[in-house]
Amino acid sequence: MKDFASCKGIKLNGIFYPSADLLPLLNMKGLSEFELEILDFASKLLDDKDKIKVETSGSTGKPKVIKFQKSAFAVSAKATNSYFELTEESVVLLALPMRYIAGKMMVARAMAGGYNLLAIDPAGAPLKNLARTHLDFMPVTPFQALKSAEETPASLRNVHAVLIGGAQMSEALQTRLSMLGVKAYVSFGMTETLSHFAIAKLSSEPDIKYVPLKGVSLKTKKNGQLSVKWKGITDGWLATNDLVDLQKDGFVWLGRGDNLINSGGVKVIPERVEKRLAHLIHGNYFVAGIPHKRLGEEVALIVETRNEPHQVSLPDVQHALADTPFWQPRKIIDVDKFLYTPSGKVKRKEVVKKAIISELHQLAKAAKK
């Protein structure tokens, strides 16, 4: 099924490129490398092949390649266009890399919706050098949202819908965007579902509720692990690694199952602990399980120091979690630099290994004194 076969082409940066020119990639002189990447993927949606390969980011494991029917791109694209009420008159910004699904799906949405796609080379504050004062839709990473809030707050407020995704958003950024009055949303999904399958409207509440897109079904296992089914995209039920509080009209995300800490038989979700510590720690940090002889794992706070001593004390951290003693970290481990994926997510498992080595070095130094 060629859902994009009826598309006449794509409107990119105010110029319409007909399908006939896209397929052989002709008449493309004078375009940037980013524009050519966009047009190249548009041509893939229109060629004679039934499937398209997509590479995962590798944030939760080794990168892999998945093949999707072209009809699946159309299902996802139409659902997002409908949710945000995007029409042929809409103007949408793309400032995300074309390597991963987020950028690819923006091309599919633009073609399915027939609207103008403005392409800006991916940058921290994509609105900084944009002459246009109004946009209907703009997907960004949390880092781009933060830089835009810092450098172009007025322009950010002029965007009708800012969709934030690709990595976990901090509570500080959530509060900042709410105070600025930015019309922001948060996406929830993965490459296997062709980007998001649920969206939450940003608010000042600490636990935001994600609402599934039309056609999406959800269920959980006894441990709260989420599964999703989306006709035309998933092959039946697709199990995720996410732990959620599933409610009648949506769900609240709790954390990742593969990050779960088992400390003496008590299950601790690191992401819940991290939220409670957000007001104490400036910079990058996360909570993880460190091997312990008696408990199996002990809760530890891993802090990225950038070669500077951390500015938080263990007593302060434990006091902030006084009402949940099993959540309290038993130690703070400094790591000079975290390891990150190309999309900006912390490689937790690799950093934990680095943290254990760092702790052993610290203990060895202390023993010599």
Side-chain angles (χ1 to χ4, degrees), residues 92-341:
V92 172
L93 187 72
L94 172 56
L96 298 170
M98 283 300 299
R99 181 177 177 182
Y100 300 118
I101 193 59
K104 288 178 168 58
M105 279 310 307
M106 279 312 306
V107 176
R109 292 170 195 143
M111 294 179 70
Y115 46 74
N116 185 19
L117 188 65
L118 295 183
I120 302 290
D121 282 348
L127 298 173
K128 195 170 185 178
N129 298 313
L130 190 68
R132 190 179 183 88
T133 57
H134 173 79
L135 291 169
D136 294 291
F137 182 63
M138 180 178 76
V140 291
T141 64
F143 176 74
Q144 288 176 316
L146 175 61
K147 295 297 289 182
S148 297
E150 291 174 345
E151 299 182 23
T152 57
S155 297
L156 195 61
R157 280 195 296 267
N158 280 335
V159 182
H160 185 70
V162 178
L163 183 63
I164 304 167
Q168 189 178 346
M169 184 173 61
S170 69
E171 200 167 313
L173 175 58
Q174 184 176 337
T175 301
R176 184 165 194 164
L177 293 175
S178 295
M179 290 180 66
L180 281 174
V182 176
K183 296 175 280 292
Y185 299 77
V186 188
S187 67
F188 192 95
M190 50 190 168
T191 304
E192 288 83 351
T193 56
L194 287 177
S195 75
H196 50 260
F197 59 83
I199 294 173
K201 192 169 184 178
L202 191 68
S203 69
S204 57
E205 296 296 320
D207 290 326
I208 57 177
K209 184 183 289 186
Y210 292 91
V211 177
L213 293 175
K214 187 176 181 181
V216 174
S217 298
L218 304 172
K219 69 177 182 179
T220 54
K221 297 181 180 179
K222 288 183 179 180
N223 65 351
Q225 185 180 354
L226 180 69
S227 291
V228 57
K229 182 168 69 173
W230 195 352
K231 186 178 180 181
I233 295 180
T234 66
D235 184 12
W237 286 100
L238 174 66
T240 75
N241 232 325
D242 296 288
L243 304 176
V244 305
D245 174 16
L246 185 60
Q247 301 170 13
K248 185 177 180 181
D249 54 346
F251 63 89
V252 174
W253 184 73
L254 302 178
R256 294 277 302 174
D258 46 0
N259 294 335
L260 196 66
I261 302 169
N262 188 340
S263 184
V266 177
K267 303 291 178 64
V268 179
I269 300 176
E271 292 87 351
R272 305 302 284 177
V273 184
E274 292 160 10
K275 272 194 170 185
R276 292 280 298 277
L277 300 177
H279 68 288
L280 279 180
I281 308 170
H282 301 288
N284 298 325
Y285 69 96
F286 66 93
V287 170
I290 300 296
H292 188 274
K293 288 183 179 179
R294 182 171 56 86
L295 298 173
E297 287 183 304
E298 64 177 342
V299 180
L301 176 63
I302 317 296
V303 180
E304 184 179 41
T305 61
R306 297 283 175 176
N307 297 316
E308 297 289 338
H310 65 251
Q311 302 298 315
V312 61
S313 70
L314 188 59
D316 286 343
V317 169
Q318 293 177 336
H319 178 72
L321 300 166
D323 60 331
T324 50
F326 292 112
W327 288 16
Q328 294 177 354
R330 295 166 63 92
K331 62 179 63 173
I332 299 175
I333 303 177
D334 294 345
V335 175
D336 55 350
K337 292 181 181 179
F338 286 177
L339 302 172
Y340 296 89
T341 67

Side-chain angles (χ1 to χ4, degrees), residues 21-42:
D21 288 340
L22 282 175
L23 289 174
L25 282 177
L26 298 175
N27 306 320
M28 302 302 170
K29 292 182 179 179
L31 295 179
S32 70
E33 184 177 341
F34 187 48
E35 289 173 316
L36 286 173
E37 286 182 300
I38 292 169
L39 295 174
D40 179 61
F41 183 71

